[in-house]
Amino acid sequence: MIVKALEIIKVEVVVRNIAAGSLAKRLGLAEGTVMAKTVLEYYYKDDALGDPLINASHIAALDLATPEQMEFIRTTALKVNDIMREYLAPVNIDLIDYKLEFGIHKGQVILGDEISPDTCRFWDKNTGEKLDKDRFRRDLGNVEGAYQEVLRRLTGE
Amino acid sequence: MIVKALEIIKVEVVVRNIAAGSLAKRLGLAEGTVMAKTVLEYYYKDDALGDPLINASHIAALDLATPEQMEFIRTTALKVNDIMREYLAPVNIDLIDYKLEFGIHKGQVILGDEISPDTCRFWDKNTGEKLDKDRFRRDLGNVEGAYQEVLRRLTGE
């Protein structure tokens, strides 16, 4: 593993294929509603403000990133969606949504942070069982077992 | 006055030049902070949900409007900003922000609703005095006097 020091961009990027969590609440949709089009959201990384939803014009006004950086972030976030769904489909995992963070390293925007059941929602395609951090957040139990199940399906371990 | 029946588009459009109200809260800015770039926001017209902030991808996923309609709405909303600021500058009124609604009439998107101190924030350029609905919302008194003052400056009446 290579760890690079990043200048963090204060924008969390969330990509959503199926309504869950705050999206279900915001739009008044039942959890599990398949979105007709992929939803891409930006949140302002600011703990004191509670990481509020923002849009591209807020990002420009606050100068959190340049329009060119945001275009790279947007296209990368959507590419990750294609790659992950293709990776997870054979092991019967639906990618509900996920969060990405980006940073700047030597002048280039690069994907930062981890991609894991801590930052994604994974549901079993057949049973709908949650295989992610919602087991912890919602006190569903067997958090470790669910994480191991994801690993087992992906690696056979 | 011509009144046309519109099929309402369930998106409120807010354009903001200076931070006030929910924008100041969302971004943690002092009211009166001049935005480095114009902010354009979309809200989902749904009373039960409290008219939440949404973005273009939510609008597409919910099919509230087509991308072409949204492009017309975006450019129109920003044109209105230029026109109103030019109109208000000579009478020493700062246009802080305003809300627009759009509808569809015979297949065409057109601007609906009113543009007034009920739907805009107007501040006196020199004193910062509020000349809009915030006098009512914030219980500042002299609501009618403020509205008449705006009318007087614009029409001499």
Side-chain angles (χ1 to χ4, degrees), chain A residues 22-28 53, chain B residues 10-14 22 26 41-55 58-59 62 64:
Chain A
S22 71
L23 181 68
K25 282 205 197 85
R26 181 176 302 274
L27 302 185
L53 182 73
Chain B
K10 288 176 68 177
V11 177
E12 284 187 3
V13 182
V14 175
S22 71
R26 181 176 300 275
E41 296 175 332
Y42 303 126
Y43 291 87
Y44 185 18
K45 279 177 70 71
D46 187 308
D47 283 345
L49 297 174
D51 296 341
L53 182 73
I54 55 175
N55 67 31
H58 298 124
I59 291 168
L62 294 174
L64 301 180

Side-chain angles (χ1 to χ4, degrees), chain A residues 125-141:
Chain A
K125 190 185 290 294
N126 301 312
T127 65
E129 190 190 4
K130 296 182 200 312
L131 302 170
D132 56 56
K133 198 175 177 183
D134 272 347
R135 297 207 72 80
F136 170 76
R137 288 191 201 100
R138 302 184 184 190
D139 212 8
L140 299 171

Side-chain angles (χ1 to χ4, degrees), chain B residues 59-119:
Chain B
I59 291 168
L62 294 174
D63 198 20
L64 301 180
T66 67
E68 294 70 29
Q69 288 169 340
M70 289 311 299
E71 182 55 22
F72 175 82
I73 287 171
R74 194 184 67 79
T75 55
T76 303
L78 295 174
K79 248 186 242 168
V80 167
N81 201 32
D82 293 339
I83 293 166
M84 286 183 72
R85 291 172 89 175
E86 200 169 309
Y87 180 58
L88 294 166
V91 297
N92 289 318
I93 294 175
D94 275 337
L95 177 61
I96 308 308
D97 54 39
Y98 56 95
K99 181 200 72 171
L100 299 176
E101 302 195 19
F102 292 84
I104 299 170
H105 179 73
K106 297 185 176 170
Q108 294 286 335
V109 177
I110 65 173
L111 188 57
D113 208 20
E114 59 178 316
I115 296 178
S116 78
D118 274 7
T119 62

